[in-house]
Amino acid sequence: MTKISELLRQNHIDIPFIKGDGIGPEISAATEDILNAAIKKVYGDTRSLSFIDVLAGEAAFKSVGEWLPKETVELIREKGVALKGPLTTPVGKGARSINVRLRKELDLYACIRPVKHFPNVPFPVKRDVLNIVIFRENTEDVYRGIEYKAGSEEAMKLARFLKNEFGADLPSENTTAIGIKPMSIEGSKRIARAAIRHAVQLKRKKVSLIHKGNIMKFTEGMFRDVGYDVAEEEFSDSVYTMRQYQNTVSTQGTEAANKKFEAAQWAGKVIVDDVIADAGLMHMTMNPERFDVLVLSNLNGDYYSDSSAGVVGGLGVAPGANVNFETNHGLFEATHGTAPDIAGKDMANPTSLLLSACMLLDHLKWTEAAEAIRTAINGCFEAKILTADLAPKDIKPASCSAFSQAVLARL
């Protein structure tokens, strides 16, 4: 297993690269070229990346009969970091999500999704003010895959147990599918800790704990409470929570609470609050400036990641990282699907994978190369060089290869 401290001492690093299904090979090739060019431009011959092709998804299944070969997981664990294109996930049947399996087997508990507006990229809301970072818990919740098909022996047995032992109010045991939603204090603590640490270190203004604790009081409600506990116990010098505000209102009155809140803001403390999940989705489009750094459970995080990407123009401009901040293992991936309808047609948008590769460079502390790529991408958008998924009707869309060449030219 390669530790991040060892990686940071290396100037020539091997990166396992899952090219992906559908449009994956096209955007992966573009990403590889641009990464190499940026590193060469910024560091000359003193630093380099070498990419190791590893199998997962349909390509793996066709080649070796497995959707996620053990060798792939072990190589990523050994090297410490990896890049990944989009992989096919069957709906309602077939192989379990390879993305979920990778996160679980490598314990990549934090899914990090920066979301922001880019120049000339069309978006469906009135204001281009959304600029957030999402921290999604990545290993628990319903994504643990503990569910049983309606009418199966397991589902009926579990339904009878819940009814008989706990008096659970369930529909017919013969026609009810059942899923389990496990969420732990430990898992909730570490994602809250990662998000708050990020906000403090980067001097962000607010961390919002997103939850559905008004309904799921012992899972989502616990997630909220644990987030506040971490903020108040581990970051007391750097944050002020709305739970502290409410407690001051109860004991000293609103005026005293307001004074403490204002003092915390003047001191530059990060404000930690909480938002009910459904109301938060409304705010995402109506009051986007309300958010800064968001902490979410797994399922809510999935919803918010995609919905916020839609606010700024789509998944084509949304990068993603899956990280364990204790081991510093990281898997950096395109956040969109495989788009098989345009595979091989040179129409794909490589931006999501490119920006995810920039997050990989940040992880390695090669931030100068990452910023060079981000600046080049931004320059393409400013010049209205947009791929088909982004281009409005009055702009001729650029092909995947043309967009990639435009980024290279700006390097």
Side-chain angles (χ1 to χ4, degrees), residues 183-195:
M183 294 174 63
S184 72
I185 292 174
E186 296 80 6
S188 301
K189 275 187 174 182
R190 64 182 185 176
I191 191 64
R193 183 180 299 119

Side-chain angles (χ1 to χ4, degrees), residues 199-216:
V200 170
Q201 290 177 345
L202 274 68
K203 300 186 185 305
R204 308 284 295 212
K205 293 182 178 180
K206 182 188 288 186
V207 174
S208 297
L209 306 164
I210 310 296
H211 63 94
K212 194 60 180 167
N214 57 330
I215 303 300
M216 291 168 276

Side-chain angles (χ1 to χ4, degrees), residues 176-246:
T176 300
I178 298 180
I180 306 296
K181 180 185 175 73
M183 294 174 63
S184 72
I185 292 174
E186 296 80 6
S188 301
K189 275 187 174 182
R190 64 182 185 176
I191 191 64
R193 183 180 299 119
I196 297 169
R197 184 189 300 123
H198 175 89
V200 170
Q201 290 177 345
L202 274 68
K203 300 186 185 305
R204 308 284 295 212
K205 293 182 178 180
K206 182 188 288 186
V207 174
S208 297
L209 306 164
I210 310 296
H211 63 94
K212 194 60 180 167
N214 57 330
I215 303 300
M216 291 168 276
K217 301 181 186 298
F218 305 121
T219 50
E220 299 278 336
M222 179 268 291
F223 184 83
R224 166 193 178 272
D225 293 342
V226 165
Y228 275 137
D229 291 343
V230 169
E232 293 166 7
E233 295 169 8
E234 300 183 24
F235 298 91
S236 58
D237 293 337
S238 304
V239 308
Y240 180 80
T241 74
M242 294 311 293
R243 186 169 72 177
Q244 290 172 313
Y245 176 88
Q246 294 297 338

Side-chain angles (χ1 to χ4, degrees), residues 371-411:
E371 283 305 306
I373 295 172
R374 292 188 184 107
T375 300
I377 292 171
N378 211 63
C380 289
F381 291 149
E382 288 178 340
K384 298 184 179 181
I385 302 171
L386 305 170
T387 49
D389 59 319
L390 303 178
K393 292 181 180 180
D394 59 337
I395 294 179
K396 182 180 179 181
S399 64
C400 179
S401 56
F403 183 83
S404 302
Q405 287 301 315
V407 174
L408 286 168
R410 281 161 177 75
L411 286 171

